[in-house]
């Protein structure tokens, strides 16, 4: 067999294998992390302690910057968990959830800590990757007409009863005279 | 012979209840203004409806039951108990209309939890609640801490002896000043001063934690109200865990410890009597039982290898214990962690701390340090008597603002209330067991409701049976008013049914 003839092919295969190994080792999160809910993480915290996990939910409240890292809180509908991540990961987050907005839905891949030694025993996730899976949006809060009518009628009744009260109060000293 | 209440008795109770309800309506103006300020039109309408309902009911009662007569003890007690129920039913209107509650019962549960400074919640989707509703949640717990009747006495009552009977009916009996209205105003002065200082400190802490100025201000105000009133409410579902800030934890722990002290002690310190902190039976009792329960939980957590280092263990253990002991209920662990992460010994430490509670005539609930101190002194007295000659006269004193000779009436009163608290703790636990919950969560959440603590190990949620919600509402109410007013109300109803 003429090896020199197959040299380019062998080189290509070796390069492909090396590239695959490098790619896999540079992003182990995507390869091994399992998607878990907050309920599972809280109830089976021992089992998942220091494991790489995938967690999805809505970013709520604030993005709290602390130097090179920051804290976000991610709510999966059942419970919100604290996520500690490098600041550059949160740059893509546009909306955080509050009364006016639904926050961006994100997928976090990171190490789960049942009692984080770095953060005084807090249960948290240290994010290694963050992906926005659905952007947030403004939450509509239309004023209900029935509520408006109810408020107006009750307000009229209140004014009426207040008037009656004041009238009776004024009448009382005259009666006493 | 049991006498059936006269028409005039109803008139007196109705008249003063009406005044208190108007007070609740006036307080609702603050969240209404908050909603208007942040252009939250839906919640603003909810508050308009709530205010109108309070004014219609309050003015209606005042006009229907108009009377010049002053309150007797029975009227004061019954009015205190009844007005809390009516204020809960009316205060729940904006809660229910907000759409964050599954039923009106759930809304009433949260209102009673707020007024009684308990802190247990059934609210849904708290992370998307409006600023107006959050203001109402925290304001009612702040007012509940001082006492709803204290609010009404301050603004709506003229100087009457009856006002003092109402004040006592709310579970307070300390007179800081000769006049009860001046006493109520002194309580307000103390609370508002701390609000300004504590709110400012938390504002700075929140800014340092990375929050925006507006949110730092609002959250600072709300966390202060929740902590000072030992209510434990917070504007986010994670409670204090939301902030990931040791500084916020440190400030709140100081606030709720101060909030759990007797208003008479505050007033004494304000007058320059600093030694009172060291000598008062309540502060001595509090520091002793905090140390004991902290050691218990610390040992439990060490045994469970719950935390990776001593610093983490101390930080979590101390916060939870002090929060439980002051009956605040702010948490820096998730509810289910009490069951899954902490072991039984650690949880027992928390339960003992919750059941004892803070000081009498404070914002705190529970049996109270004063009663624990008196019972302990009585025990020492009895042991002393056993080892002394029959002819010996043994006198024991305790210090509470002044030196007081320990008498049988003090021990009797302390024992009666302690037994009543034990009774409601047991009641809640039995109801939990009846519905199939395990013993630990049943007892934990029952003690939490009865002592107005608000810590939960996950049992209290919107999915729990309605009967349990009603039992917890009763427990929060009875625990906050320290039973006497509840007994008076039940006696009043009984007299109506069976009296002549």
């Amino acid at each position: 067999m003429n090896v020199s003839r197959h040299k380019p092919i062998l080189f290509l295969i070796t390069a492909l294998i090396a590239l695959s190994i490098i790619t896999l080792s540079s992003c182990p999160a995507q390869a091994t992390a399992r998607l878990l809910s907050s309920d599972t993480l809280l109830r089976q915290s021992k089992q998942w302690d220091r494991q790489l996990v995938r967690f999805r939910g809505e970013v709520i409240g604030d993005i709290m910057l602390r130097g090179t890292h920051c804290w976000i809180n991610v709510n999966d509908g059942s419970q919100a968990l604290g996520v500690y991540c490098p600041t550059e990961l949160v740059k893509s987050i546009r909306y955080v959830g509050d009364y006016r907005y639904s926050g961006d839905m994100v997928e976090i891949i990171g190490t789960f800590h049942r009692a984080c030694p770095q953060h005084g025993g807090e249960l948290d996730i240290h994010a290694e990757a963050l992906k926005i899976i659905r952007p947030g949006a403004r939450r509509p809060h239309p004023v209900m007409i029935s509520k408006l009518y109810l408020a107006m009628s009750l307000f009229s009744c209140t004014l009426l009863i207040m008037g009656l009260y004041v009238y009776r109060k004024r009448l009382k000293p005259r009666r006493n005279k | 012979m049991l006498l059936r209440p006269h028409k005039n008795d109803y008139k007196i109770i109705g008249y003063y209840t009406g005044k208190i309800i108007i007070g609740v309506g006036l307080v609702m103006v603050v969240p209404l203004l908050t909603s208007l300020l942040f252009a939250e039109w839906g919640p603003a309408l909810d508050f308009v409806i709530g205010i109108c309902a309070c004014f219609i009911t309050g003015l209606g009662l005042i006009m229907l039951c108009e009377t010049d007569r002053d309150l007797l003890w029975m009227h004061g007690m019954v009015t205190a108990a009844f007005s809390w129920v009516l204020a809960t039913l009316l205060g729940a209107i904006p809660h229910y209309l907000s759409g964050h509650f599954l039923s009106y019962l759930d809304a009433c549960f949260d209102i009673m939890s707020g007024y009684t400074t308990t802190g247990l919640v059934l609210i849904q989707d708290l992370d998307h609640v409006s600023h107006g509703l959050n203001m109402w949640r925290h304001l009612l717990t702040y007012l509940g801490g001082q006492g709803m009747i204290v609010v009404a006495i301050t603004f709506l009552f003229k100087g009457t002896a009856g006002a003092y009977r109402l004040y006592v009916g709310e579970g307070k009996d300390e007179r800081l000043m000769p006049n009860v209205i001046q006493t109520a105003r002194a309580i307000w002065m103390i609370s508002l001063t701390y609000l300004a200082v504590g709110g400012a400190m938390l504002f700075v802490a929140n800014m340092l934690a990375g929050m925006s100025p507006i949110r730092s201000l609002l959250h600072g105000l709300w966390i202060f109200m929740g902590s000072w009133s030992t209510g434990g409410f917070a504007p986010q579902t994670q409670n204090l865990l939301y902030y990931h800030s040791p500084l916020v934890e440190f400030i709140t722990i100081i606030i709720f410890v101060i909030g759990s002290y007797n208003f008479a002690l505050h007033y004494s310190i304000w007058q320059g009597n600093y030694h009172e902190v060291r000598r008062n039976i309540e502060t001595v009792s509090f520091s002793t039982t905090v140390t004991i329960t902290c050691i218990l939980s610390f040992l439990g957590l060490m045994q469970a290898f719950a935390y990776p280092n001593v610093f983490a263990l101390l930080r979590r253990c101390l916060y939870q214990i002090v929060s439980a002991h002051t009956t605040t209920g702010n948490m820096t662990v998730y509810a289910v962690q009490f069951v899954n992460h902490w072991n039984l010994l650690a949880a027992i430490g928390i339960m003992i701390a919750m059941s004892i509670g803070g000081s009498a005539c404070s914002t705190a609930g529970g049996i109270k340090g004063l009663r624990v101190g008196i019972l302990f002194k009585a025990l020492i007295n009895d042991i002393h008597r056993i080892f002394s000659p029959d002819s010996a006269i043994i006198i024991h004193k305790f210090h509470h603002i002044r030196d007081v000779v320990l008498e049988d009436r003090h021990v009797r009163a302390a024992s009666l209330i302690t037994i009543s608290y034990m009774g409601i703790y047991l009641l809640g636990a039995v109801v939990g067991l009846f519905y199939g919950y395990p013993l630990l969560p049943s007892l934990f959440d029952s003690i939490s409701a009865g002592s107005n603590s608000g810590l939960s190990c996950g049992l209290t949620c919107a999915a729990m049976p309605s009967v349990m919600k009603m039992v917890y509402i009763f427990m929060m109410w009875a625990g906050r008013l320290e039973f006497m007013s509840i007994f008076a109300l039940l006696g009043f109803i009984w007299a109506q049914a069976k009296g002549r």
Side-chain angles (χ1 to χ4, degrees):
Chain A
M1 198 173 100
N2 190 351
V3 178
S4 61
R5 241 182 71 192
H6 295 284
K7 222 173 181 177
I9 297 167
L10 279 173
F11 177 75
L12 197 68
I13 290 169
T14 316
L16 275 174
I17 291 169
L19 195 68
S20 308
I21 290 168
I22 290 165
T23 313
L24 279 175
S25 61
S26 66
C27 51
Q30 282 83 345
T32 55
R34 212 175 121 181
L35 183 64
L36 296 167
S37 69
S38 61
D39 258 355
T40 310
L41 287 170
L42 287 169
R43 292 189 189 280
Q44 301 168 10
S45 56
K46 258 186 190 167
Q47 187 186 329
W48 295 103
D49 192 23
R50 292 165 197 271
Q51 302 287 315
L52 206 64
V53 296
R54 221 152 30 109
F55 179 64
R56 276 182 190 171
E58 179 194 353
V59 182
I60 47 129
D62 303 84
I63 297 170
M64 294 181 260
L65 300 174
R66 311 265 170 97
T68 56
H69 282 68
C70 70
W71 280 102
I72 54 170
N73 293 293
V74 179
N75 192 330
D76 70 345
S78 169
Q79 178 70 59
L81 296 182
V83 177
Y84 187 65
C85 47
T87 309
E88 63 264 25
L89 285 186
V90 298
K91 279 182 181 160
S92 53
I93 296 174
R94 282 188 61 206
Y95 294 100
V96 286
D98 59 13
Y99 175 69
R100 293 192 186 286
Y101 293 96
S102 297
D104 289 343
M105 286 291 285
V106 294
E107 183 177 279
I108 308 282
I109 294 166
T111 311
F112 170 73
H113 295 100
R114 172 179 174 247
C116 177
Q118 192 188 339
H119 297 115
E122 190 172 327
L123 183 145
D124 64 14
I125 298 172
H126 286 208
E128 289 169 18
L130 184 148
K131 185 172 74 180
I132 294 177
I133 50 176
R134 198 178 68 219
R138 202 178 165 88
R139 287 156 55 94
H141 292 288
V143 174
M144 285 165 69
I145 296 296
S146 56
K147 226 186 240 185
L148 188 66
Y149 285 148
L150 179 65
M152 278 162 61
S153 13
L154 281 176
F155 188 67
S156 314
C157 287
T158 309
L159 287 180
L160 198 73
I161 205 164
M162 276 172 111
L164 197 65
Y165 176 73
V166 174
Y167 175 72
R168 274 174 58 136
K169 270 248 172 189
R170 282 192 181 166
L171 210 64
K172 204 179 167 186
R174 274 185 223 161
R175 264 194 218 147
N176 291 345
K177 278 176 196 171
Chain B
M1 189 178 70
L2 200 61
L3 288 175
R4 182 174 288 180
H6 191 261
K7 192 179 157 191
N8 280 332
D9 296 322
Y10 284 102
K11 278 187 128 184
I12 295 168
I13 293 164
Y15 181 75
Y16 287 99
T17 304
K19 283 197 164 197
I20 294 164
I21 295 304
I22 287 178
V24 174
L26 287 174
V27 171
M28 262 191 223
V29 173
V30 178
L32 169 65
L33 292 177
T34 311
S35 289
L36 292 175
L37 188 68
F38 289 97
E40 298 165 347
W41 310 121
L45 275 182
D46 299 343
F47 288 112
V48 169
I49 293 169
I51 292 167
C52 291
C54 287
F55 271 81
I56 292 169
T57 313
L59 286 173
L61 278 171
I62 287 174
M63 285 198 290
L64 280 174
C65 308
E66 198 162 7
T67 179
D68 293 331
R69 292 181 187 214
D70 206 358
L71 293 146
L72 300 177
W73 277 110
M74 179 265 285
H75 302 131
M77 294 279 176
V78 174
T79 306
F82 180 60
S83 59
W84 276 63
V85 176
L86 200 56
T88 300
L89 290 171
L90 292 166
I93 292 172
H95 267 50
Y96 182 65
L97 293 176
S98 72
H100 284 275
F101 292 88
L102 299 183
S103 66
Y104 201 76
L105 180 64
D106 288 10
C108 288
F109 184 99
D110 270 35
I111 289 285
M112 185 59 95
S113 175
Y115 281 147
T116 57
T117 73
T118 305
L120 292 170
V121 291
L122 301 180
I123 193 166
Q124 305 291 305
D125 195 19
L126 179 56
D127 295 324
H128 293 109
V129 158
S130 65
H131 289 323
L133 191 65
N134 255 329
M135 183 61 89
W136 177 227
R137 290 178 66 236
H138 291 88
L139 194 62
L140 66 92
T141 195
Y142 181 64
L143 298 176
Q146 332 314 317
M148 214 186 322
I149 286 165
V150 170
V151 180
I153 286 174
T154 313
F155 301 108
L156 301 170
F157 280 68
K158 288 175 192 161
T160 59
Y164 178 67
R165 289 165 191 144
L166 263 176
Y167 173 75
V168 174
E170 206 174 40
K172 292 183 168 69
D173 54 3
E174 305 277 4
R175 274 200 203 209
L176 315 186
M177 305 270 207
N179 180 323
V180 70
I181 293 172
Q182 287 171 338
T183 299
R185 284 179 187 157
I187 289 178
W188 272 109
M189 187 184 67
I190 294 167
S191 297
L192 289 172
T193 308
Y194 278 113
L195 175 68
V197 177
M201 285 166 75
L202 284 167
F203 166 71
V204 174
N206 287 340
M207 287 290 287
L208 291 174
M211 292 171 75
S212 68
I214 295 283
R215 281 181 65 86
S216 294
L217 183 70
L218 288 173
H219 279 234
L221 205 62
W222 294 333
I223 307 166
F224 175 84
M225 287 177 178
S227 305
W228 165 259
S229 65
T230 67
F233 276 172
Q236 305 282 157
T237 46
Q238 288 155 287
N239 205 278
L240 263 284
L241 271 171
Y242 175 82
Y243 304 96
H244 313 284
S245 164
L247 184 60
V248 172
E249 286 172 32
F250 179 70
I251 295 171
T252 50
I253 212 168
I254 291 171
I255 293 169
F256 53 67
V257 167
I258 297 173
S260 77
Y261 284 160
N262 196 313
F263 281 114
L265 177 67
H266 282 290
Y267 193 70
S268 186
I269 295 165
W270 277 45
Q271 289 190 315
N273 184 10
Y274 301 111
H275 296 296
E276 189 61 34
V277 181
R278 195 171 37 83
R279 293 181 65 204
N280 196 294
I281 187 171
E282 288 191 300
T283 46
V284 174
S285 163
F286 176 76
S287 36
T288 311
T289 47
V290 159
T291 309
I292 294 168
T293 48
C294 211
I295 290 170
L296 266 182
S297 287
F298 189 86
L299 291 174
L301 291 173
M302 263 177 53
Q303 196 186 37
F305 299 108
Y307 292 100
N309 53 52
V310 177
F311 169 71
L313 202 160
L314 261 177
R315 182 172 157 189
R316 300 291 144 188
C317 175
L318 195 69
Y319 196 89
Q320 268 42 248
I321 282 288
V322 179
S323 174
H325 210 307
T326 54
T327 69
T328 306
N330 278 140
M331 291 161 77
T332 57
V333 298
Y334 290 94
V336 292
Q337 284 187 283
F338 284 123
V339 180
N340 292 348
H341 198 166
W342 290 39
N343 68 359
L344 192 58
L345 185 60
I348 282 174
I350 294 274
M351 286 194 275
I352 295 171
M354 284 196 292
S355 60
I356 295 171
S359 299
C361 192
S362 72
T363 62
I367 293 167
K368 311 276 171 4
L370 180 63
R371 297 194 182 102
V372 173
I374 286 174
L375 292 177
F376 182 74
K377 283 261 178 189
L379 179 72
I380 298 292
N381 196 10
D382 280 2
I383 293 170
H384 197 170
R385 196 165 285 167
I386 291 166
F387 290 103
S388 304
D390 287 351
S391 57
I393 297 169
I394 298 154
I395 295 173
H396 272 257
K397 287 181 180 175
F398 62 91
H399 184 83
H400 179 56
I401 311 298
R402 59 185 186 279
D403 282 332
V404 183
V405 175
L406 183 68
E407 292 173 24
D408 281 350
R409 64 186 175 94
H410 295 130
V411 182
R412 191 169 145 266
S415 309
L416 200 71
I417 301 290
T418 305
I419 291 167
S420 302
Y421 272 109
M422 294 296 179
I424 56 164
Y425 297 158
L426 195 67
L427 169 76
V430 168
V431 173
L433 289 171
F434 175 78
Y435 279 103
Y437 291 103
L439 178 63
L440 177 65
S442 298
L443 193 60
F444 193 102
D445 279 36
S446 166
I447 292 175
S448 180
S451 66
N452 306 123
S453 295
L455 289 174
S456 170
C457 57
L459 185 147
T460 305
C461 63
M464 73 197 249
S466 296
V467 174
M468 264 185 89
K469 288 175 192 169
M470 285 192 271
V471 170
Y472 276 21
I473 289 174
F474 170 75
M475 288 166 67
M476 293 189 273
W477 176 53
R480 182 70 178 104
L481 296 184
E482 299 200 336
F483 307 101
M484 284 307 155
S485 301
I486 313 298
F487 292 152
L489 180 63
L490 295 177
F492 188 80
I493 296 166
W494 181 256
Q496 176 60 45
K498 298 281 177 185
R500 288 185 199 174

